[in-house]
Amino acid sequence: MPELPDVHAFKEVFDNVALHKRVQDLEINNAKVVQGLNGKKLKSHLQGKTFVGSERRGKYLLVTLDSDEVLAFHFGMTGYLYGRNGEPDRYRRVTFLLDDNRYLEYVSKRMLGRLSLSDSIEHFVEEKGLGPDALYCTEEQFTSRISASSNSIKSALMDQSRIAGLGNIYSDEVLYQAHLHPAVQADSLSDKQRKSLFRVMRRVLDVAIRHHANPTEMPDGYLLRHRKKGEKCPKCGGRIQKDTISGRSSYYCDFCQKKQGGKN
DNA sequence: AGAAATGTTCGGCA
DNA sequence: GTGCCGAACATTTC
């Protein structure tokens, strides 16, 4: 789940439940998700603090405290935020009790997500080596960073130090909508193709955000609704292929996504 | 039972 | 120094 559009949705949960609230108490349900310092220390840093701001950067949600420290949420492959409403989530790892007695749960099923503290957003971004956010970068930033990679376009799109926010699913989606084969070399794209890719990326992210990153609500012409080997391509009726490209499963349509001269 | 899964990090090797 | 690949991480789900 957690790529840029998912994290956008988690930010909305955070803003609704926790922004401008004070942390009354903190329950560490599994200290392994706390990075850099132990659970006790995180607790003492957060107790009594107020969440004064939140912003998304790539796949991270960065929350500013009234102490000016920044709490970074990262969601791994199976994480999300849950404004508790009834039963607690079975896989919650950190639970925030807010001053209005509501609970915000940080959930990470596979334990691959992490919470960490930094002294500023700038330091955090620098430490992680994050590139500009996929939604906020300019066309010039995008094209120059993408064309600087001799790797496949898919791995360039997934490289968080180039552009932050796309993961395996949305990079496949963007390439599908742009009619580009995931294995084409990033530095072999024409100027026209790069510009088109940039526009397609913004449109895909925008549509995903509008549908709360929920695949079942997205248009049928979206690959993520047909992300299965042998499934029918919604655009041409051909079969969806599955290949390993730069270490991850890539789904694409052999017919729509040509290695040479992508249409559009 | 075995494989695959939305992510990041790190060691090793060109 | 750079950049890429595979493995590791931990657990659930198909």
Side-chain angles (χ1 to χ4, degrees):
Chain A
M1 266 193 195
E3 298 180 37
L4 187 155
D6 309 274
V7 179
H8 181 98
F10 304 156
K11 178 182 184 306
E12 289 185 344
V13 172
F14 180 87
D15 289 355
N16 283 332
V17 177
L19 189 58
H20 306 309
K21 307 271 175 67
R22 194 169 54 83
V23 180
Q24 202 179 122
D25 199 8
L26 196 65
E27 190 189 341
I28 312 287
N29 306 289
N30 190 327
K32 272 188 193 163
V33 302
V34 181
Q35 190 172 53
L37 63 178
N38 58 40
K40 249 187 184 164
K41 223 168 166 190
L42 182 75
K43 190 167 166 166
S44 66
H45 267 261
L46 291 182
Q47 237 165 3
K49 302 281 164 57
T50 299
F51 295 129
V52 297
S54 77
E55 73 176 71
R56 183 194 56 67
R57 174 89 183 218
K59 304 175 190 171
Y60 292 88
L61 177 61
L62 304 174
V63 170
T64 309
L65 309 169
D66 56 355
S67 60
D68 280 347
E69 286 175 302
V70 174
L71 174 63
F73 291 84
H74 177 258
F75 298 96
M77 292 219 255
T78 53
Y80 50 94
L81 288 178
Y82 170 53
R84 191 195 293 180
N85 179 12
E87 285 301 299
D89 192 290
R90 180 175 166 197
Y91 300 108
R92 71 192 186 285
R93 307 305 184 190
V94 175
T95 307
F96 302 85
L97 172 60
L98 305 162
D99 56 1
D100 59 357
N101 291 322
R102 285 207 67 184
Y103 291 97
L104 178 75
E105 299 184 347
Y106 169 72
V107 182
S108 184
K109 240 186 217 178
R110 278 173 59 194
M111 299 284 300
L112 292 174
R114 292 290 179 266
L115 291 190
S116 62
L117 277 177
S118 290
D119 30 357
S120 72
I121 289 180
E122 293 67 42
H123 282 158
F124 178 83
V125 167
E126 195 192 327
E127 201 184 308
K128 296 290 178 187
L130 292 183
D133 189 87
L135 259 195
Y136 306 131
C137 71
T138 64
E139 185 185 82
E140 290 69 33
Q141 283 177 311
F142 177 83
T143 54
S144 70
R145 285 168 166 267
I146 288 303
S147 51
S149 169
S150 56
N151 219 327
S152 68
I153 183 62
K154 162 118 187 207
S155 84
L157 287 178
M158 285 199 301
D159 181 350
Q160 303 300 298
S161 69
R162 289 185 197 285
I163 301 292
L166 296 182
N168 201 27
I169 287 185
Y170 283 97
S171 52
D172 275 359
E173 188 66 52
V174 168
L175 292 169
Y176 175 72
Q177 301 297 341
H179 305 290
L180 281 172
H181 193 288
V184 286
Q185 247 185 265
D187 57 10
S188 74
L189 295 187
S190 68
D191 197 44
K192 203 176 152 188
Q193 286 176 316
R194 285 183 306 215
K195 285 181 172 166
S196 151
L197 186 59
F198 176 70
R199 284 191 292 269
V200 169
M201 175 181 78
R202 293 177 57 126
R203 176 162 45 80
V204 165
L205 293 174
D206 206 60
V207 167
I209 283 172
R210 276 209 299 272
H211 296 287
H212 309 103
N214 183 347
T216 61
E217 290 176 19
M218 284 182 225
D220 185 60
Y222 269 47
L223 177 67
L224 38 60
R225 299 193 48 179
H226 308 270
R227 221 167 180 281
K228 215 174 161 190
K229 191 179 179 177
E231 192 98 335
K232 249 190 183 169
C233 165
K235 295 201 193 293
C236 77
R239 299 292 159 182
I240 298 300
Q241 310 287 312
K242 179 190 176 187
D243 267 332
T244 298
I245 295 173
S246 74
R248 310 296 302 276
S249 299
S250 291
Y251 293 83
Y252 62 96
C253 171
D254 226 356
F255 185 78
C256 295
Q257 295 168 264
K258 300 295 188 192
K259 289 196 183 182
Q260 282 292 319
K263 300 165 289 195
N264 184 26

